[in-house]
Structure formats: C-alpha cells, structure tokens
Amino acid sequence: MGHRITLKQLQKMKGKEKIVMITAYDALFTSIFDPYVDMILVGDSLNMSFSGREDTISATIDQMIYHAQAVCSKAEKSFVLFDMPFGTYPDKETALKNAVRAYQETGVDAIKLEGGREKSEIIRYLSENAIAVFGHIGLKPQSVRSEGGYSIKGKSEAEKQEIIENALLLEEAGAVAIIIEGVKPDVAEAVTSAVSIPTIGIGAGVACDGQVLVWSDMLGFFDEFMPKFVKQYLDGGSLVKEAVQNYASEVKSGKFPDKEYTY
Ligand code: KIV
C-alpha cells in the first residue's frame, strides 16, 4: 500500500509542477490511472458517462458514496476528491452533514462544490469543521438547467472581474484549491496569479496550476458530444468495439473457445 499525495504536497506544487487530475468512478480504472496522476476526482459527471443521464443533476449522495468507496479501494498514491452532487449543499448544516458522510463512509481526501460568492459561507463553515473543500467556478455544470445550457464564462471584462473576485472570496473562506471550468484562458491566468491556492482547469487554458479531464472523454469512450477542450488520447470506443465484434463472431462460428481456452 503506497502513500497518497497529501493536500500540503499538492499545494506546494503551485507554480512549480503541474497537477494532473483525471476522473474515475470505479476500482478497475482507478488502479490503472493511479500510478500516473496526482489526483482522482470522483466527479458527478458519472451521472452522464456512467449512468447515461443527460446532465449531472440527478446524481445522489448515496450514488457518489458508492463510487467513491470503489475509487478509494484502489487509489494508493493519488489524492481523491469527492464531488458533492446537486442539492446536497444548499445551506451550512446540510452541507456539513453530507460532507461528513463523504469523509466517514469513504476514504476521500477532500470534497468539491460548485459556486462562488453565494457558497463562500458554506465553504467557511465546512473548513471550520475540518473538511478540505475545493471550489468550482466558471462554468458550473450543476447550473445547466437554471441557465438553460452550458456556456463559456468570463467573456466580458465585468464577468472576468466577477470570476476573479469569486476566486479570492473562496480562498479567503478557506477553500484549499479551485477548479476553473469553461473560461477564456486569460481569465484562468488572472485567477491563478490572484490566488495562492492551486487552480485546476478544464477548458480553461494552460496557465492553470493543473488540468483535469473526464476519463471517458479523454480515452474516447464518450462520443455523445465532444467539447473543444477535450483531447482524445485514445480511440477507446473503436478498440473496444473491434474486440467485442471479434469475440461475438468467434462465439457464433464456434472458434471460441478452442483447445487453448478449455480445461
Ligand atoms: O464531475 C466532474 O467530472 C467535474 C469535472 C468536470 C471537473 O466536476
């Protein structure tokens, strides 16, 4: 059993070494990713790529705990981050109750919640109660229905200043790091130099202290839609389709199992 990267180690990487984060939702892929990344996010994106829903809104705290337990069982060296699903942090007490469940029922190292100014007092309360909290600003996927879709944030100067202000408020409230999603690169760059905690970007350009991608996007398994920021490092869907086609045709033809695969 290795030792997981600590929060202190992650924070020291700011400005010195880029932080690598990937999502994972199960034990199998966690054990594959773990040696090569610094952090694993049990993201509520699992509601789309794992559960087949249209957005992240219907993910529940029980589902997230189930997946986080699986991830934690195989995360030996990576720091594990738990995504608080929609509706589980509307006020301080509810947020603390659910964050405590995440800590006590899984082995995660920190939790993440979406929001800026409007969530800063909740983040302060969680921090005062020994919960390490990552903020998530810019494009917030849990706002997809209330905003009527996904859109890039920080396009105007006023919006850019608002995002920087939100980041500073989160840091002041005790957030230990910030995810910045779907912003112009100059916005992420300004946030990264304004705060002293690490910033991890997704669709936010190269200036962030680290990067995160959803595993099924970057390995080519999820092709329902592909945002511009996703680089596919593998055409996993095609490879798996070909393998399953071969298996099916060998079973149909009676070629599998031959002697080699028979007792
Ligand atoms: O749920 C998730 O995978 C996320 C990333 C998009 C940062 O929150």
Side-chain angles (χ1 to χ4, degrees), residues 5 40 78 125 153 194 199 215 225 257:
I5 292 173
I40 292 179
S78 306
Y125 190 61
K153 305 294 178 195
T199 59
W215 81 266
F225 61 87

Side-chain angles (χ1 to χ4, degrees), residues 21-23 25 41-47 56 64 83 112 114 136 139 141-142 179-181 200-202 212-215 229:
M21 194 200 288
I22 192 169
T23 66
Y25 316 130
L41 168 64
V42 188
D44 62 356
S45 52
L46 65 81
N47 209 48
T56 61
M64 295 302 297
D83 214 358
K112 161 168 99 62
E114 294 182 12
H136 184 152
L139 189 159
Q142 291 177 7
I179 307 285
I180 310 180
E181 178 165 359
I200 316 243
I202 174 161
V212 55
L213 282 176
V214 171
W215 81 266
F229 63 79

Side-chain angles (χ1 to χ4, degrees), residues 70-84:
V71 167
C72 287
S73 75
K74 293 292 178 191
E76 293 194 354
K77 74 161 257 293
S78 306
F79 186 98
V80 182
L81 182 59
F82 181 96
D83 214 358
M84 296 281 279

Side-chain angles (χ1 to χ4, degrees), residues 62-106:
D62 287 335
Q63 288 165 345
M64 295 302 297
I65 284 174
Y66 169 83
H67 288 278
Q69 285 167 342
V71 167
C72 287
S73 75
K74 293 292 178 191
E76 293 194 354
K77 74 161 257 293
S78 306
F79 186 98
V80 182
L81 182 59
F82 181 96
D83 214 358
M84 296 281 279
F86 180 72
T88 61
Y89 50 97
D91 55 67
K92 290 182 192 178
E93 292 304 338
T94 311
L96 182 60
K97 186 176 112 253
N98 285 316
V100 166
R101 278 197 66 192
Y103 261 19
Q104 289 188 328
E105 296 178 37
T106 78

Side-chain angles (χ1 to χ4, degrees), residues 238-259:
S238 302
L239 292 174
V240 170
K241 274 181 209 158
E242 199 183 312
V244 176
Q245 270 172 3
N246 286 341
Y247 166 63
S249 77
E250 289 192 4
V251 171
K252 293 278 186 201
S253 68
K255 187 172 174 214
F256 176 83
D258 59 16
K259 265 196 180 151

